[in-house]
């Protein structure tokens, strides 16, 4: 089956393309780097020719409110408009657990706009809501850092490995459309401050994490369960401990440092994925 992965060179996209190819499908990594741009429309008609399924795991390059809205609306409208004449039978999109509970953020208003366009279109669809990726934990820490201090609300979070996100999305893409939302999450719940503290310790990052009920998550006021999936969520298998041990080992072998700060980014992982998926 031909499956076009929009954002197929990104963190989730590159893993998804590899997994689908391993299962014997014709998975096409579609992104500006491979000549497909959902904003300008470049390469879209050609890429979608003969495709049964389109999976959109792209992300806005700029998360500022208006820029994110423009990206998700334009990209989704262009995609859906090209899918109908190409005879695409299933549109799958990756979004975030709790999107409709985080509308103080322009980014989540943009994700909701994306979801609403998909729901209103005639193409059968499945929207996958995932919890935060383990690979995103450093971004959470950096956003809430002031000097040497990371201040976070001690709310619950159930993060998951990007590998498990890709497997969860692959399973949905290969099943029949649900015409609704499915949730996927990680195997364990944490307090947000505890999760970030454990990650920074493993990466030998000296920042101190402080639990502050008044602190914001990515600039938003969140409550105890805002970030949690519901009881029906499909859960990934990779434990945070397993992932963080692997991540710390990768960092120290890539950047041997006798002392000092180890820097974790998901860029290394994306680069590895791109090399495999292209
Ligand atoms: N971070 C989290 O914890 C989390 C949790 C749940 C859901 N999500 C969702 O997961 C999705 C994927 O995230 P990710 O971290 O895998 O993203 P990512 O690594 O930033 O990858 C984004 C992909 O989109 C592509 N792209 C950008 N502009 C494009 C355009 N005009 N046309 C076609 N492709 C374009 C990029 O290509 P280039 O690299 O060539 O620009 C790249 O392949 C996002 O929609 C996000 O909302 C994230």
């Amino acid at each position: 089956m031909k499956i076009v992965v929009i954002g197929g060179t990104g963190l989730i996209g590159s893993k998804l393309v590899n997994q689908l190819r391993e299962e014997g499908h014709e998975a096409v990594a579609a992104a500006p780097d491979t000549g497909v741009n959902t904003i300008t429309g470049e390469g879209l008609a050609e890429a979608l020719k003969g495709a049964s399924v389109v999976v959109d795991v792209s992300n806005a390059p700029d998360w500022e409110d208006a820029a994110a809205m423009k990206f998700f609306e334009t990209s989704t409208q262009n995609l859906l408009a090209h899918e109908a004449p190409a005879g695409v039978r299933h549109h799958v999109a990756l979004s975030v657990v709790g999107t409709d509970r985080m509308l103080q953020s322009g980014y989540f208003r943009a994700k909701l706009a994306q979801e609403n366009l998909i729901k209103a279109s005639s193409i059968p669809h499945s929207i996958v809501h995932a919890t935060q990726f383990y690979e995103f934990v450093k971004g959470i820490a950096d956003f809430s850092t002031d000097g040497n201090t990371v201040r976070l609300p001690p709310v619950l979070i159930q993060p998951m490995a990007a590998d498990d996100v890709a497997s969860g999305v692959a399973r949905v893409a290969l099943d029949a459309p649900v015409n609704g939302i499915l949730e996927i999450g990680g195997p364990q719940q944490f307090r947000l401050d505890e999760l970030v503290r454990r990650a920074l310790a493993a990466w030998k990052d000296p920042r101190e994490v402080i639990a502050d009920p008044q602190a914001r998550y990515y600039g938003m006021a969140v409550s105890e369960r805002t970030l949690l999936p519901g009881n029906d969520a499909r859960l990934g298998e990779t434990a945070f401990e397993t992932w963080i041990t692997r991540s710390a080992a990768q960092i120290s072998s890539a950047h041997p440092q006798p002392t000092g700060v180890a820097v974790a980014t998901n860029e290394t992982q994306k680069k590895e994925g791109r090399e495999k998926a292209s």
Side-chain angles (χ1 to χ4, degrees), residues 52-55 83 87-92 123-126 172-179:
S52 304
V53 180
V54 170
V55 186
E83 284 173 19
V88 171
R89 297 196 300 267
H90 190 185
H91 179 99
V92 179
I123 313 283
H125 67 271
S126 304
V172 173
L174 298 174
D175 278 350
V178 298
N179 294 315

Side-chain angles (χ1 to χ4, degrees), residues 6-12 30-33 36-39 57-59 71-72 94-96 107 111 130-133 136 270 274:
I6 306 292
T9 60
L11 174 66
I12 302 302
D33 273 357
V36 182
N37 190 319
T38 54
I39 298 300
V57 290
S58 65
N59 207 354
F71 177 86
F72 283 113
L94 179 59
S95 193
V96 188
Y107 180 82
K111 291 298 289 182
T131 57
Q132 290 66 37
F133 314 155
F136 189 56
K270 278 191 202 173
R274 277 191 192 110

